[in-house]
Amino acid sequence: MATPNPFRPTFGSVPHTLAGRDEVLARISATFGLIEGDPDATAVVIGHRGTGKTVLLNKAVLAARERRWAAVSVSATDGPLEEAVIEAVAASQIARSRGPRIGQLTGIQALGFGLSWSPPPHGSNPSLRYILTDFADQAARSGVGMLIALDEMQHLSRGEARRFASALQHVIRNEGHSVVFLGAGLSVIETTILSDPGMTFFGRCARIPIGPLDDAEARRAIREPLRDAGIRIEAAALDEAVAAARGYPFMLQQVGYQTWRSTSDWSSPVTVATVRAGISLAQEAMVNQVLKPDWARLSPLEHRALVAMSHDDGPTRTSDLRARLRMTSGTWATYRRRLIDAGVIVAPHRGWIDFAHAPMRSWVRTVALDSPEEIDTHYERPPNLRDRIADALEIDRRASYASIGRAVGAHRSYVRQIALVERLAR
């Protein structure tokens, strides 16, 4: 078929149908109109891998450039942050010079990383603060603002994050500047960069949480690109595609892309068999592009927890998992938080956890069978009094503190204290 595949399963590529993000996009776009007093003028998009954080940043950059704003987009994985930002500013200057010129870029040789700048009043090499200030000044003289987009914030070192925050905060405080900052990262940044007392700038940023799409929007993400290409899909086939993706935009694009490639008869609606073939290929791609890199970043004990979870065919009760691992409630709370922050598991209900991505369960089972040496089998002490109380609270949430205390041999005040700690840990 001559029509190109409308699905784009590459990280950061804006899909044909950006489903389920209208409200977030409207919220971001509004910042380009009224900057002063808008809390979203400095904001961070937070979500698991595959939820579309980079796509939203790219859409924001496109929206800014449509308004002739000076827009700079960098990732914390691009190398040293200061160099990446300065190079991105230079690239933006060059791009804007093709239209109404702003800026004082004078060459592309000095500084050791590909550009030179009009010298600052003091010192030979411009600092990040000077570069951003100068860039914002030029934008202001042209009657526009400046957008700084920073992706993959979880990869920032503490030092470079603090230097970046200090420089950008100085620029934003200048009353003559219209500056928007939009960052993105995994949820782990909530307990690192965003809560660091040395980086109050990031701590004050608005949070824009994004998660999986609901079923209606997921159906739209698959159905509309096919419809616009003149292709129909059976209702049952669409249901299978949606179920396999579990609302993750990246997986939806993978399923759509691979289903398109698996389709041979364009005169008939896409069938369940074709979608299943596409799902199989999409899951393989998901393993290679997401699950294996995630696994490599985890510790042996985190591997062991995931293997224990894989014994279940659906969500896992946390009390059952702790029993399998012989893990204390306090230790489990730590590992649970780490696995959620890594985007590997989710907590669909109180007291339950599940794999964030459907293919991971079967893949982890395969790893455990094929490479048992990767799984740490050593562990720690048996449950103590606190763990027995936590288990009792989990099993019967209506039981009184006094009855639990009698059952485990503890005073009800201590049971109440453990109950409070368990609620906070969740």
Side-chain angles (χ1 to χ4, degrees):
M1 187 176 183
T3 304
N5 195 321
F7 297 97
R8 299 179 180 179
T10 54
F11 286 104
S13 294
V14 178
H16 173 282
T17 302
L18 187 54
R21 302 300 186 219
D22 292 347
E23 184 177 337
V24 173
L25 287 171
R27 181 176 170 182
I28 292 172
S29 296
T31 63
F32 300 125
L34 176 65
I35 304 298
E36 188 174 355
D38 187 343
D40 289 337
T42 56
V44 178
V45 179
I46 300 173
H48 293 324
R49 286 186 182 84
T51 51
K53 301 181 298 298
T54 303
V55 169
L56 290 176
L57 259 63
N58 290 343
K59 286 286 288 184
V61 170
L62 290 172
R65 288 174 178 164
E66 286 173 357
R67 292 166 171 78
R68 296 297 304 164
W69 272 43
V72 171
S73 179
V74 295
S75 170
T77 60
D78 289 342
L81 184 61
E82 290 91 338
E83 296 181 9
V85 171
I86 294 174
E87 287 183 346
V89 168
S92 179
Q93 290 278 27
I94 293 170
R96 288 180 60 82
S97 69
R98 296 170 185 152
R101 179 180 176 83
I102 71 167
Q104 300 168 352
L105 185 66
T106 59
I108 52 172
Q109 301 298 324
L111 294 181
F113 39 86
L115 63 96
S116 66
W117 209 268
S118 298
H122 303 290
S124 56
N125 285 343
S127 65
L128 177 61
R129 172 172 162 176
Y130 176 83
I131 293 294
L132 290 178
T133 301
D134 186 62
F135 197 37
D137 285 343
Q138 295 163 31
R141 287 194 294 270
S142 296
V144 296
M146 177 178 75
L147 167 68
I148 302 293
L150 175 58
D151 200 6
E152 302 287 356
M153 289 178 62
Q154 71 275 3
H155 292 296
L156 290 175
S157 69
R158 189 178 299 271
E160 63 184 0
R162 286 182 174 179
R163 291 190 296 273
F164 176 81
S166 175
L168 188 56
Q169 185 170 251
H170 171 80
V171 178
I172 291 174
R173 283 175 176 169
N174 189 315
E175 293 184 359
H177 296 156
S178 294
V179 180
V180 170
F181 167 73
L182 185 63
L186 300 178
S187 58
V188 67
I189 64 174
E190 287 273 23
T191 56
T192 55
I193 292 172
L194 301 187
S195 61
D196 190 320
M199 291 179 273
T200 55
F201 169 79
F202 286 133
R204 290 194 297 266
C205 287
R207 273 62 160 177
I208 303 179
I210 61 171
L213 306 181
D214 61 32
D215 284 354
E217 290 296 334
R219 283 187 173 83
R220 180 177 160 234
I222 295 289
R223 183 179 58 244
E224 288 191 3
L226 293 175
R227 181 200 63 197
D228 291 349
I231 307 300
R232 293 169 294 158
I233 182 170
E234 294 176 354
L238 182 58
D239 288 343
E240 291 234 5
V242 169
R246 295 179 66 173
Y248 280 84
F250 175 72
M251 188 60 175
L252 282 163
Q253 293 300 309
Q254 276 286 3
V255 170
Y257 181 85
Q258 300 296 350
T259 296
W260 180 281
R261 292 185 63 190
S262 301
T263 300
S264 57
D265 181 9
W266 297 101
S267 62
S268 302
V270 176
T271 64
V272 169
T274 302
V275 166
R276 286 176 178 171
I279 289 171
S280 178
L281 293 170
Q283 289 178 338
E284 183 179 342
M286 191 75 174
V287 166
N288 291 324
Q289 295 178 244
V290 177
L291 305 188
K292 286 183 178 178
D294 280 348
W295 179 269
R297 283 186 283 264
L298 300 177
S299 71
L301 281 176
E302 289 163 342
H303 289 168
R304 189 168 181 268
L306 295 180
V307 171
M309 283 178 61
S310 74
H311 295 170
D312 298 317
D313 293 327
T316 298
R317 188 190 292 271
T318 55
S319 58
D320 293 343
L321 184 63
R322 291 209 321 265
R324 293 172 198 169
L325 298 171
R326 300 187 69 191
M327 188 178 281
T328 66
S329 60
T331 302
W332 166 243
T334 299
Y335 282 99
R336 175 183 178 277
R337 182 73 261 166
R338 289 181 187 175
L339 291 168
I340 289 176
D341 287 343
V344 175
I345 68 171
V346 293
H349 310 289
R350 186 178 184 274
W352 293 82
I353 55 172
D354 199 1
F355 289 102
H357 302 288
M360 193 162 199
R361 188 185 319 279
S362 59
W363 181 74
V364 168
R365 288 172 178 171
T366 301
V367 171
L369 290 173
D370 294 347
S371 305
E373 68 279 0
E374 291 191 21
I375 312 303
D376 183 7
T377 56
H378 169 71
Y379 205 55
E380 51 190 81
R381 65 184 184 276
N384 55 22
L385 177 60
R386 172 175 170 169
D387 298 313
R388 297 204 306 274
I389 293 173
D391 287 341
L393 289 166
E394 186 90 41
I395 293 168
D396 188 355
R397 297 174 188 167
R398 292 176 296 180
S400 67
Y401 297 150
S403 64
I404 291 176
R406 286 192 297 270
V408 301
H411 193 276
R412 65 180 179 181
S413 62
Y414 183 63
V415 175
R416 181 178 182 277
Q417 179 184 347
I418 298 303
L420 177 60
V421 171
E422 288 291 307
R423 282 198 298 272
L424 293 174
R426 297 181 197 284

